[in-house]
Amino acid sequence: MDKIKKPRGTMDILSPESDAWVYIENKMRDISSRFGFSEIRTPTFEELGLFKRGVGDTTDVVQKEMYTFSDKDGTVFALRPEGTASVVRAIIENGKNSDPMPLKYYYLINCFRYEKPQAGRSREFFQFGIEMFGAKNAAADFTVISLADTLLRELGVRGVSLHINSIGCPECRPAYREKLVKYLRENSDKLCDTCRSRLETNPLRILDCKNPDCKKIAETAPKSIDNLCPECEEHMTSLKAMLDSAEIPYEIDTHIVRGLDYYTRTVFEFICDGIGAQSTVCGGGRYDGLMEQLGGPSQPGIGFGMGITRLLLALEQSGVKLPSPQPPALYIASLGERAILEANKITTSLRRNGIKAECDVMGRSLKAQMKYADKIGAKYTLILGDSEIDSGRAVIKKMENSEQTEIKISDTADFISASEKFDVLAEQASGKDN
Ligand code: ATP
Ligand code: MG
């Protein structure tokens, strides 16, 4: 029979790869909570209209990349292509706008976009996202950027740089947009087909096109950062001062844009050059007009999305080896029914005390059990047979140096617990615990 394969552009993630995912996700949760963000979970699919309004009708994501389907009653839904629109909908729907401000949420989600699969780009991908609503000050932009920076530092990512830009606000953008469109019109014969149609719908996006000809035109285009109103200028100055004082290096990059009207002021990306064409590990910005766009009150917002696969690529090229899960503290090899019973009793008691322990579930020979214990990296083994059960004493072996100690079987849990505590203290003393 033909074997069924996973859909194109999706992933199976198994150990040891999944161990790295768990480690990274735990780090993301830990740092989010350190910055005062709590987790938000929203549906995997939403009404299509939410993304049309929240992501934008003119974006590639909505025009070309959405997975849509209709329900049995005819309602059209889409698998979420990103996280922000759902968060805003949930804030409005759950009346969170009357909570103390700012609202601070993080999420770890799968997203779906019909794209050409390649390194760092898949059709189902995983994103860590941050959203802060209610704060208009540059300190909010700084906090969100600093969170991403802290995460990348703590994971040990190297060769990543922070690019920032300001795209203005409804005050100053119309005039800038006009200037830009005028310039681009004069050069429209040199633009790619997509960009020529973007001239009408989403001209700012042309500045971010990867086509070499468009890139050339973008080089000499008027820059939003040179056309800011005094308030936007002050916001940017204030953000830069905070980044400087926290020693977070950045560069101004006028190619970083978001085309849609509800985006305001700060846009940023963390770019890692060593990971190939898909080099943006994290992209974010301010969207002070989004909440209103989705039918809520006027409420400033800022956030980012970070692709987990791209983060893993960045870690790989940085030579970072993530810690593997702890091996079992004890493996109990047993022979005979009474020994199996005892082995299960001891492992249960250890597990109830938070200690990782294993015993045979395969009915293997003693020799095969010892081989298995070695393979899974058990720190200690205990051998139990009828004579041990009769005498109440057994030999515990430290696998690292084959040191053997005879103990009372009833003391096993205490012996292992004490050794685990000792290991933790030794590790802390040697400063290895990071
Ligand atoms: P790109 O220009 O790389 O397509 P984007 O502007 O579409 O990025 P965002 O919508 O800002 O991306 O998403 C935030 C982050 O999510 C990206 O910086 C990237 O790390 C990740 N990401 C986006 N699309 C994909 C994908 N198809 N596969 C894997 N990761 C993705
Ligand atoms: Mg994209």
Side-chain angles (χ1 to χ4, degrees), residues 65 113 115 121:
E65 298 172 359
R113 296 185 192 176
E115 299 202 74
R121 193 179 291 289

Side-chain angles (χ1 to χ4, degrees), residues 206-221:
I206 299 175
L207 301 176
D208 163 53
C209 182
K210 306 285 184 289
N211 179 302
D213 294 329
C214 301
K215 265 187 165 171
K216 221 160 148 192
I217 302 295
E219 282 302 306
T220 46

